[in-house]
Amino acid sequence: MLVTDPDGPRVLLVEDDRQLAEMVSMLLVEEGYRVEMARDGQQGLHQGLTGEFEVMIIDRGLPVLEGLDLLRTLRERAVQTPALILTARGALMDRVEGLDAGAEDYLVKPFEIPELLARIRALHRRHLAASGSLPVGARRLLPATRTVSDPAGVQSEVLLSERECELLTVLARSPRQVFTRTQLLDLVFDRADTVGTVDTYVHYLRRKLGREVIDTVRGLGYRLGSR
Ligand code: CA
């Protein structure tokens, strides 16, 4: 039986063809990756916005939300994770559209597995070169370690819970955007939660990081604090 490497690079695989998804996932796990799967574009969007990945593999033809629309939305929300688009079509215009939507690479089905793996390795290297922290006022949020640190150094490092980190990451990726509580509920929390949960986590973050870390925009929602 295959055991997932706990430190392996994380891959988001959005593919509705169950058989293909399971085969690709198995091969990636064999190569040392950790794989999260989504079966449609909406689920992929949720996972892409709330999870931390080194690489995304997105099928173009997806139910609910089409692959390129999914990628475009992620890019609009400042998710910079390198993406490989899978498509059954290989026409020139498809390639151009894929690259325009913010894809780094493009692979036409059916593909050879060694080629897929080589492209994923290349995208992962690209991520390692570009990954880093997000500014939160004068501080930096490091989603990978769930910490917020002052430029001054490690002594003032604050550790966040998984949910706190996801909420702050969503806000910090779009620092000028005002999010409604319902949007934040959809992006960060489960269906069982209520908008009250969003308020609770805003409260937790303010208690850990100071009131100014998140601004309340009266009648609208929340935004990353400017200080
Ligand atoms: Ca498909």
Side-chain angles (χ1 to χ4, degrees), residues 15-16 59 61 109:
E15 168 63 77
D16 61 314
D59 180 35
K109 294 177 181 176

Side-chain angles (χ1 to χ4, degrees), residues 9-224:
R10 286 150 302 186
V11 176
L12 175 61
L13 173 61
V14 192
E15 168 63 77
D16 61 314
D17 179 337
R18 188 176 291 264
Q19 216 180 337
L20 179 64
E22 267 155 24
M23 185 192 72
V24 169
S25 164
M26 198 184 73
L27 290 162
L28 289 171
V29 170
E30 268 175 20
E31 293 283 310
Y33 295 92
R34 285 179 286 170
V35 181
E36 249 187 63
M37 287 196 270
R39 300 263 182 238
D40 64 54
Q42 189 64 46
Q43 201 192 341
L45 180 62
H46 177 77
Q47 281 165 254
L49 286 172
T50 57
E52 287 297 322
F53 300 97
E54 276 76 29
V55 175
M56 300 186 289
I57 305 171
I58 300 172
D59 180 35
R60 185 161 174 181
L62 287 173
V64 191
L65 182 65
E66 202 256 343
L68 291 189
D69 290 334
L70 158 62
L71 181 60
R72 223 173 266 121
T73 309
L74 288 172
R75 294 295 185 245
E76 279 164 14
R77 302 277 178 83
V79 175
Q80 302 300 345
T81 312
L84 172 72
I85 293 285
L86 299 179
T87 181
R89 293 164 286 188
L92 179 64
M93 270 324 286
D94 283 344
R95 269 172 210 276
V96 172
E97 280 170 23
L99 298 174
D100 278 350
E104 275 69 23
D105 206 353
Y106 201 88
L107 195 55
V108 177
K109 294 177 181 176
F111 48 81
E112 299 291 330
I113 293 299
E115 177 162 21
L116 175 71
L117 295 175
R119 304 254 192 133
I120 299 300
R121 277 194 297 273
L123 287 181
H124 181 221
R125 279 197 300 274
R126 187 188 292 231
H127 177 83
L128 286 179
S131 70
S133 57
L134 292 162
V136 173
R139 290 173 284 190
R140 310 288 304 182
L141 165 67
L142 281 100
T145 55
R146 299 208 312 254
T147 51
V148 175
S149 55
D150 276 329
V154 225
Q155 282 179 333
S156 46
E157 203 168 70
V158 179
L159 183 65
L160 304 179
S161 74
E162 203 168 317
R163 284 294 186 72
E164 291 166 353
C165 184
E166 284 180 13
L167 177 58
L168 192 57
T169 301
V170 167
L171 294 170
R173 273 185 186 142
S174 310
R176 280 174 297 278
Q177 186 179 338
V178 179
F179 291 89
T180 67
R181 295 151 86 220
T182 313
Q183 278 175 323
L184 292 172
L185 183 67
D186 287 345
L187 291 173
V188 180
F189 299 92
D190 297 326
R191 288 187 199 288
D193 293 314
T194 65
V195 286
T197 315
V198 177
D199 299 332
T200 303
Y201 276 85
V202 167
H203 172 75
Y204 291 157
L205 282 167
R206 284 174 169 163
R207 201 171 54 190
K208 281 190 177 177
L209 299 166
R211 262 208 82 72
E212 72 288 353
V213 69
I214 294 169
D215 289 341
T216 301
V217 182
R218 205 170 288 277
L220 291 175
Y222 295 112
R223 179 177 55 202
L224 187 73

